[in-house]
Amino acid sequence: MITELRISDLGVISDAVLALHPGLTVVTGETGAGKTMIVTSIDLLLGGRADPKAVRTGARRAVVEGRFSEISADTVRRVEEAGGELDAAAEADGEVDAELLVARQVTPGGRTRAFVGGAQVPIGRIEDLVGDLVTVHGQSEQVRLAGRDRQRELLDRFAGVDQQVRLTTYRTCYDELRAAQTELDRLRTEAQERAREIDLLRFGLDEIERAAPQPGEDVALAEEAQRLQASDDLRADAATAIVALAGSDDEAGGALAGLAQARRAVERLAAADTEAKPFAGRVREVGYLLTELAGDLSSYLAGLEVQPGRLEQIAERRFELAGLLRKYGSSCDEVLAWSARAAERLAALELADDRIGELTERITVVQGRIEELAGQLHSARVAAAGEFVERVRGELAALAMPHARLQFELTPVDLGPTGADQVDLLFSANPGSAPRSLGKVASGGEMSRVRLAVEVVLADGGGSVTFVFDEVDAGVGGAVAVEIGRRLALLARHRQVIVVTHLAQVAAFADRHFAVVKSDDGQVTTSGVREVAERDRVVELARMMAGIETTESALAHAGELLELASR
């Protein structure tokens, strides 16, 4: 539950602190004083949308902080996984004796930040972390209650945990069915395109296979062709180099002959002078290198023998490869890479028919499972509907609607995300009137009472520790408002209930009473929140009934209300 709520610069509220306790807490105040900002601040703590216009004029930011206790162990685990910290003292019955601080900041520029347990978290994660701590029923809930989807949600919620498990399983199967059907439709639609692509890939792979290019073959052939075309010049230059090194075949000479003379002279120097000995070794080394070079040149010259027809063969092969290079890559290596990719793509495309068969079989299986689960969901809804409406009718009788009739109408529809039922809550307030859709026949006051009755019934099944109601008494008054206050007080025996109200009949049942007070200095309007002491409650209730100026009769009536509520 919420133990403390701090609000700074939100709407007309400059700074306010509400120390909250178990039981029924009411918030009252004149129109425009800022009562709704209390609900807005709690909604912000739970991840609600932030309106930059709600930041108080002239303020750098609006700040809302809430302290929570009686936190479930599961919530503690989620908060700690998100990096938050709690001061946990003990654990019992699934709840942790600890306090959790949640904060939200909003700037006039629209920037918003959230902190849970001291750790900054994305706004979208707040609801996942702490959304189960509080259930907020704003005035929009009255509109939602008229919708069939919301009515179906409430019926499923009343049906219990098993129904929620069935819904989760159903949605998983339904999502799988939709994904499989989408893929199957795509494969079937693309069948002609896929067949054309298969033919093109096969043609290309066959063409490459016939030519059988080798890695780097185009480069090697170009180099060989260039060498053959320059073979006469190459032979002449190689022969010239050999003659320069070793002399001609019929005449000794060349560098090797001169080196032989140098070697003999150096050897005489080394024999006569020890300092010249290193020269002899170096001359011999040069001799070895020149001899090896002359031999290599001779081998190169021998390899340049004329190969008749080879140049023509190279030209034909390069022409054949050029056809591949125009289509599949700028080199043989790129052609081979395209071939590898094409083979993989062809294999995947050829598996499409097998995939169509697999999907068809899977869809049949999942379809059967979904229909089975839809039947279970329907049976559970039928079983829960009778008890649900009976209990809600009992609450409505206590809310001065003894003749109200409710019934759920379940109409079969095509399978959807929540089953095969269209749920419609039918309502009649008076005897002799046939029940019709709730949203079409219920007045504002009747809808308020139905909403409260539903929440009282659902509260018995567990859920949030704290309920927040924003003007649940809209459209009612007199004795009906008294009964609403009484039902809220009964609900507050098991839950923390916070109610924003403008009716004294409801406020009289409060365990704690806060008043939002507006002040105006002629330039700026400011609201603050004060707790109404027990001795001042008669005056506050009288003000709510009579306006700013209280009267003796209003004070007397307020006293009677408090006495009635205390009974």
Side-chain angles (χ1 to χ4, degrees):
M1 70 175 187
I2 307 176
T3 59
E4 184 178 83
L5 182 65
R6 290 179 175 268
I7 307 171
S8 298
D9 296 322
L10 182 67
V12 295
I13 297 180
S14 173
D15 185 64
V17 179
L18 284 76
L20 302 171
H21 295 267
L24 176 60
T25 299
V26 299
V27 179
T28 63
E30 60 184 279
T31 301
K35 299 188 299 297
T36 302
M37 288 297 104
I38 306 298
V39 179
T40 299
S41 64
I42 296 175
D43 188 55
L44 285 173
L45 293 178
L46 302 177
R49 188 180 67 86
D51 182 2
K53 296 179 180 179
V55 180
R56 182 174 169 79
T57 302
R60 294 177 56 192
R61 66 176 64 87
V63 180
V64 180
E65 295 180 349
R67 290 189 176 275
F68 296 85
S69 64
E70 298 184 23
I71 305 163
S72 69
D74 187 52
T75 299
V76 172
R77 176 188 56 78
R78 293 197 301 267
V79 170
E80 290 178 344
E81 288 176 353
E85 296 182 355
L86 296 90
D87 184 15
E91 181 178 337
D93 298 328
E95 292 186 350
V96 175
D97 181 12
E99 275 198 335
L100 172 65
L101 178 63
V102 181
R104 185 83 179 269
Q105 300 177 359
V106 183
T107 67
R111 183 180 179 186
T112 179
R113 302 168 67 190
F115 301 86
V116 177
Q120 185 171 351
V121 298
I123 303 302
R125 287 212 61 198
I126 302 178
E127 184 175 1
D128 294 336
L129 294 174
V130 298
D132 59 348
L133 298 180
V134 180
T135 299
V136 177
H137 294 283
Q139 297 182 42
S140 61
E141 177 64 17
Q142 194 156 300
V143 177
R144 291 185 64 209
L145 185 58
R148 290 170 175 169
D149 286 343
R150 179 57 175 165
Q151 292 167 6
R152 193 261 316 150
E153 289 175 9
L154 295 173
L155 179 58
D156 284 338
R157 180 177 159 191
F158 181 80
V161 176
D162 290 343
Q163 181 75 337
Q164 302 306 313
V165 173
R166 281 188 288 267
L167 271 172
T168 301
T169 305
Y170 177 89
R171 287 184 183 123
T172 300
C173 293
Y174 183 78
D175 290 342
E176 181 184 355
L177 178 64
R178 290 188 63 187
Q181 190 64 59
T182 299
E183 183 180 358
L184 180 60
D185 292 343
R186 179 180 59 80
L187 290 175
R188 287 174 172 169
T189 301
E190 297 173 352
Q192 290 185 342
E193 182 180 347
R194 190 166 57 252
R196 288 193 296 268
E197 187 177 357
I198 287 175
D199 286 345
L200 289 173
L201 290 173
R202 283 177 176 166
F203 177 83
L205 289 171
D206 290 343
E207 190 176 18
I208 293 172
E209 184 178 3
R210 286 193 301 271
Q214 301 301 311
E217 184 181 1
D218 53 330
V219 176
L221 288 173
E223 293 175 351
E224 185 180 359
Q226 183 179 6
R227 188 166 59 252
L228 289 174
Q229 290 168 350
S231 60
D232 291 342
D233 293 339
L234 294 175
R235 279 194 298 273
D237 289 340
T240 300
I242 292 172
V243 170
L245 289 172
S248 62
D249 292 340
D250 57 354
E251 181 180 353
L256 287 174
L259 188 63
Q261 293 178 2
R263 185 175 67 248
R264 288 192 294 272
V266 170
E267 287 176 349
R268 290 193 297 272
L269 283 174
D273 186 354
T274 56
E275 291 186 3
K277 286 184 177 181
F279 299 147
R282 293 169 66 182
V283 168
R284 285 194 296 272
E285 183 179 355
V286 172
Y288 298 147
L289 292 173
L290 288 178
T291 301
E292 183 178 1
L293 177 58
D296 290 343
L297 284 170
S298 297
S299 298
Y300 174 75
L301 181 59
L304 290 175
E305 295 178 358
V306 177
Q307 301 180 40
R310 176 57 182 164
L311 195 58
E312 184 178 351
Q313 293 174 359
I314 292 175
E316 291 177 354
R317 179 59 173 169
R318 292 182 71 188
F319 179 78
E320 182 181 15
L321 293 177
L324 299 181
L325 300 182
R326 284 195 304 271
K327 298 178 183 178
Y328 308 112
S330 60
S331 67
C332 283
D333 290 345
E334 290 185 7
V335 169
L336 292 171
W338 181 91
S339 177
R341 294 193 302 271
E344 292 179 0
R345 175 62 177 166
L346 180 61
L349 291 172
E350 290 176 334
L351 287 174
D353 290 339
D354 294 338
R355 180 61 177 163
I356 287 175
E358 293 174 2
L359 287 171
T360 302
E361 293 179 5
R362 184 57 185 165
I363 286 172
T364 301
V365 173
V366 177
Q367 182 79 27
R369 177 59 174 154
I370 285 179
E371 291 174 356
E372 177 186 355
L373 288 168
Q376 294 176 7
L377 289 171
H378 174 77
S379 298
R381 286 165 181 161
V382 171
E387 181 182 356
F388 190 22
V389 295
E390 282 302 315
R391 294 181 61 179
V392 172
R393 284 176 60 187
E395 292 296 326
L396 289 175
L399 292 171
M401 295 179 67
H403 303 296
R405 295 170 59 196
L406 285 171
Q407 67 184 67
F408 279 103
E409 182 178 71
L410 275 64
T411 305
V413 294
D414 293 337
L415 290 170
T418 58
D421 295 317
Q422 175 181 283
V423 178
D424 193 5
L425 182 58
L426 307 182
F427 172 78
S428 172
N430 303 304
S433 299
R436 295 174 56 196
S437 295
L438 177 66
K440 295 180 179 180
V441 298
S443 65
E446 290 167 345
M447 188 69 81
S448 294
R449 282 177 277 180
V450 171
R451 176 161 61 108
L452 177 58
V454 166
E455 288 305 328
V456 171
V457 170
L458 291 177
D460 291 341
S464 301
V465 175
T466 299
F467 285 93
V468 179
F469 293 96
D470 184 13
E471 298 195 6
V472 68
D473 48 21
V476 301
V480 175
V482 172
E483 293 304 323
I484 287 179
R486 197 187 309 279
R487 303 317 289 175
L488 289 170
L490 289 174
L491 178 60
R493 292 181 180 179
H494 310 287
R495 298 286 189 276
Q496 182 187 43
V497 179
I498 302 170
V499 180
V500 175
T501 181
H502 63 282
L503 294 180
Q505 295 94 323
V506 174
F509 287 87
D511 298 305
R512 296 177 74 85
H513 188 157
F514 289 91
V516 180
V517 182
K518 181 171 63 174
S519 61
D520 190 343
D521 62 3
Q523 295 180 333
V524 178
T525 300
T526 303
S527 290
V529 181
R530 64 176 178 84
E531 183 175 357
V532 180
E534 189 64 30
R535 63 179 180 276
D536 297 328
R537 291 190 64 197
V538 171
V539 176
E540 178 63 19
L541 294 181
R543 182 202 63 76
M544 295 175 68
M545 290 185 291
I548 297 176
E549 297 295 334
T550 58
T551 63
E552 290 297 329
S553 61
L555 289 171
H557 191 186
E560 293 173 0
L561 275 177
L562 286 174
E563 183 180 354
L564 174 64
S566 66
R567 295 200 300 266

